[in-house]
């Protein structure tokens, strides 16, 4: 297609050029005329008599409008579209701290899709993933971004009106830096900084100055969530007990002094203040929590509290917590989530319902800064692209008061080239027989059935009697049927397909192995050792290769070794299982000790609508000591 831009094009021209390949068009003097006009808080796109017009409020709106033009022009009919932006800020938060550090070129590709969706912001969550000149161990061997890389990301996003906001930690969640002896002077507990130490505040100063330098944004997220260990380690040994609220607020005051000295406006996670207000001291979502005046007075006014909530599906739950946040006398920001973490399977059953309810509540309460988190807990076995359907839901909510669900379906197909149904297939990796519709309890069998040991089977009790062979075999065929090798994102379906093929055999093999052993069925044991386990080994290697390709196509290589080691452990243990069975069949051992053990539930699921959950690979792989974590 040929286009000709008219009007004041200077602010958007660079971004338009960047989207030419994405949208397959050229700018020429004989192209379809598109008149560009800027007006406050408006977005309209029209086409009639061979001419188009885009009226927009801010730069990000123009690029959404450009996408809407292309999507609707395909009908070859006149059209007029009008939308109303609902939020001041709308954007995703990318977690690059859990090993998957997205390559700059891939980040740029995602920015192009975010631009067409209409997002005007993005946060990059970096615990230790940026260079600090005087701290060589900060992000060491973790794929940290250089100043030049971060500036390149900011420059690229700015073309589309996307504000990139650094999201860091200035209190907790710094385990990967504090593990080094070089950081001992800064350490209270395993992941928490030593407060009331001048070394700590010099370090925070370096963090804030360094991470803010490459970005145009005057905003920064300073973290401070989940700091339950605050004052319980080195601090306690050195200075004795002090109330956490006092420690938290004094530390926050020092951090805010540094932030303000750099001309920055801070966000922070709100959960610590909400927890400290609860009777138990740890209930982030306790509906009975009332915010006492003491905590309100102790909370500095010059920071925006960010309320995060990913799991509730009723608007009323969000409204109640937003009301508690407003007790602090200011409008909070909000962060929802698309569940891409702790699983291979993006949980759309929960994510879409929870996000819809949350965004309705945000509009009702006038929340203006809205983000959607893409966490990567426990190694990020999933990927950012699998969240695109969820991001599209946020984008469509951001431009209308009442969501048209069909529009989400149409828009995600246009922008990604992938049908909504293809994204929803990912859900079925975890939504297996035995799991209630929509998987509201976040069960993650795609992960624990892959990594659990064949001989030890810590989750075997959870899947007894379930026909998982048929489920995963059918799912593998469904995924294969929707794939298109010529599509740029086809590779994100290769891992789910091969995982489903593997789990069709592996998911319940431990249950079968235990059953034939207990029955004294040596023919059955021989078949498992000679045929089934070798086939599982072969499929595991195919999955590893597909996963490696996916990772290295998107991310820096650092961190892949963690997943590689998991596959190595999986394959090694399968080989040992074959060996142990053959020892028994040959009479070298009188019993297989591991199979003599009674199978117990990993945890109580009597009142659950799911079949279990674990957040950590090492707990799935073995019930034995994997590594010993010291308290400080």
């Amino acid at each position: 297609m040929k286009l000709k831009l008219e009007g004041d094009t200077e602010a958007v021209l660079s971004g338009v050029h960047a989207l030419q390949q994405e949208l397959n068009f050229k700018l020429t003097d004989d192209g379809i005329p598109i008149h560009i006009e800027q007006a406050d808080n408006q977005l309209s796109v029209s086409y009639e008599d061979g001419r188009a017009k885009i009226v927009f409020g801010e730069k990000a709106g123009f690029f959404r409008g450009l996408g809407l033009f292309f999507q609707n022009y395909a009908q070859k009919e006149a059209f007029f579209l009008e939308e109303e932006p609902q939020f001041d800020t709308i954007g995703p938060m990318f977690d690059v701290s859990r090993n998957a550090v997205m390559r700059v070129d891939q980040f740029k590709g995602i920015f192009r899709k975010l631009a067409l969706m209409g997002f005007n912001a993005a946060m990059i969550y970096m615990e230790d993933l940026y260079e600090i000149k005087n701290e060589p161990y900060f992000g060491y061997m973790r794929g940290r971004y250089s100043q030049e890389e971060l500036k390149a990301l900011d420059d690229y996003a700015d073309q589309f009106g996307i504000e990139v906001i650094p999201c860091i930690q200035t209190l907790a969640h710094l385990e990967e830096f504090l593990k080094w002896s070089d950081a001992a002077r800064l350490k209270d507990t395993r992941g928490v900084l030593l407060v009331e130490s001048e070394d700590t505040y010099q370090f925070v100063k370096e963090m804030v100055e360094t991470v803010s330098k490459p970005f145009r944004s005057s905003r920064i997220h300073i973290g401070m969530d989940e700091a339950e260990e605050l004052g319980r380690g080195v601090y306690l040994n050195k200075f004795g007990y002090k109330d956490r609220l006092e420690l938290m607020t004094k530390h926050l005051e020092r951090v805010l002094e540094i932030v303000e000295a750099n001309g920055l406006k801070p966000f922070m996670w709100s959960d610590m203040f909400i927890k400290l207000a609860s009777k138990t001291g740890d209930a982030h979502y306790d509906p009975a929590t009332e915010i006492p005046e003491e905590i309100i007075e102790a909370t500095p006014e010059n920071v925006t509290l960010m309320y995060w909530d990913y799991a509730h599906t009723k608007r009323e739950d969000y409204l109640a917590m937003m009301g508690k946040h407003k007790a602090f006398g200011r409008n909070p920001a909000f962060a929802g989530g698309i569940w891409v973490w702790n699983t291979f399977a993006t949980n759309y059953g929960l994510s879409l319902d929870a996000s819809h309810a949350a965004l309705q509540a945000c509009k009702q309460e006038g929340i203006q800064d809205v983000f959607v988190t893409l966490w990567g807990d426990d190694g990020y076995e999933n990927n950012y692209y699998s969240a695109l359907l969820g991001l599209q839901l946020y984008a469509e909510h951001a431009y209308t008061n009442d969501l048209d669900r069909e529009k989400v379906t149409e828009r995600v197909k246009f922008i990604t080239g992938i049908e909504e149904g293809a994204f929803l297939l990912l859900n079925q990796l975890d939504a297996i027989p035995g799991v209630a519709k929509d998987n509201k309890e976040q069960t993650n069998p795609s992960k624990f059935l892959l990594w659990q040991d064949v001989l030890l089977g810590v989750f075997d009790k959870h899947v007894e009697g379930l026909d998982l062979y048929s489920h995963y075999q059918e799912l593998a065929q469904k995924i294969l049927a929707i794939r298109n090798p010529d599509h740029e994102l086809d590779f994100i379906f290769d891992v789910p397909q091969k995982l489903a093929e593997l789990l069709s055999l592996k998911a319940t093999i431990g249950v079968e192995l235990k059953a034939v052993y207990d029955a004294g069925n040596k023919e059955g044991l021989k078949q498992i050792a000679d045929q089934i386990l070798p086939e599982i080994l072969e499929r595991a290697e195919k999955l590893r290769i597909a996963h490696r390709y996916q990772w290295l196509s998107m991310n820096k290589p650092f961190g892949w070794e963690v997943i590689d080691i998991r596959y190595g452990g999986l394959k090694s243990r399968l080989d040992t299982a074959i060996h142990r069975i053959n020892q028994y069949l040959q009479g070298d051992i009188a019993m297989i000790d591991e199979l003599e053990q009674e199978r117990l539930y990993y945890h109580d699921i009597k009142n659950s609508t799911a079949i279990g959950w674990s957040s950590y690979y090492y707990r799935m792989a073995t019930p034995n000591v994997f590594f010993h974590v010291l308290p400080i």
Side-chain angles (χ1 to χ4, degrees), residues 5 44 56 72 74-75 133 151 154 190 201 291 331 372 389 412 424 440 475 489 526 542 568 592 615 621:
L5 300 185
S44 65
F56 63 98
N72 287 274
Q75 309 303 319
K133 184 178 180 181
K151 187 177 186 305
D154 190 65
R190 188 168 60 96
Y201 299 109
I291 312 298
N331 217 17
V372 49
L389 171 60
V412 79
L424 295 179
K440 294 295 195 300
L475 178 57
L489 296 182
K526 181 172 175 57
K542 289 179 180 178
I592 302 176
S615 298

Side-chain angles (χ1 to χ4, degrees), residues 221-276:
H221 200 305
I222 58 174
M224 294 205 179
D225 59 314
E226 298 179 326
E228 282 82 6
E229 296 177 355
L230 173 62
R232 301 297 196 264
V234 172
Y235 183 93
L236 183 64
N237 295 336
K238 279 189 172 184
F239 308 116
Y241 173 80
K242 189 176 286 188
D243 181 73
R244 275 192 302 172
L245 177 60
E246 182 181 352
L247 289 175
M248 181 87 181
T249 54
K250 286 188 175 180
H251 177 71
L252 178 56
E253 287 171 2
R254 290 293 302 272
V255 173
L256 292 179
E257 288 175 6
I258 294 167
V259 168
E260 288 189 344
N262 283 273
L264 301 171
K265 300 171 185 176
F267 294 101
M268 69 172 286
W269 305 114
S270 68
D271 60 291
M272 283 303 293
F273 286 118
I274 303 298
K275 289 174 184 176
L276 291 170

Side-chain angles (χ1 to χ4, degrees), residues 32-103:
I32 299 168
I34 300 182
H35 182 75
I36 299 171
E37 184 177 313
Q38 195 160 9
D40 289 343
N41 203 39
Q42 290 187 30
L43 177 58
S44 65
V45 184
S46 59
Y47 175 73
E48 189 174 15
D49 297 331
R51 299 184 64 84
K53 184 177 182 180
I54 299 176
V55 179
F56 63 98
E58 59 173 26
K59 196 188 327 188
F62 166 79
F63 290 100
R64 177 177 171 86
L66 185 63
L68 288 169
F69 165 76
F70 272 88
Q71 182 181 349
N72 287 274
Y73 178 78
Q75 309 303 319
K76 303 294 184 182
E77 296 177 357
F79 61 84
F80 177 78
L81 306 172
E82 192 169 30
E83 297 183 336
E84 183 180 355
Q86 302 293 303
F87 308 115
D88 291 340
T89 309
I90 182 74
M93 187 218 74
F94 297 97
D95 177 4
V96 300
S97 295
R98 273 44 180 254
N99 295 349
V101 184
M102 200 170 1
R103 289 181 358 213

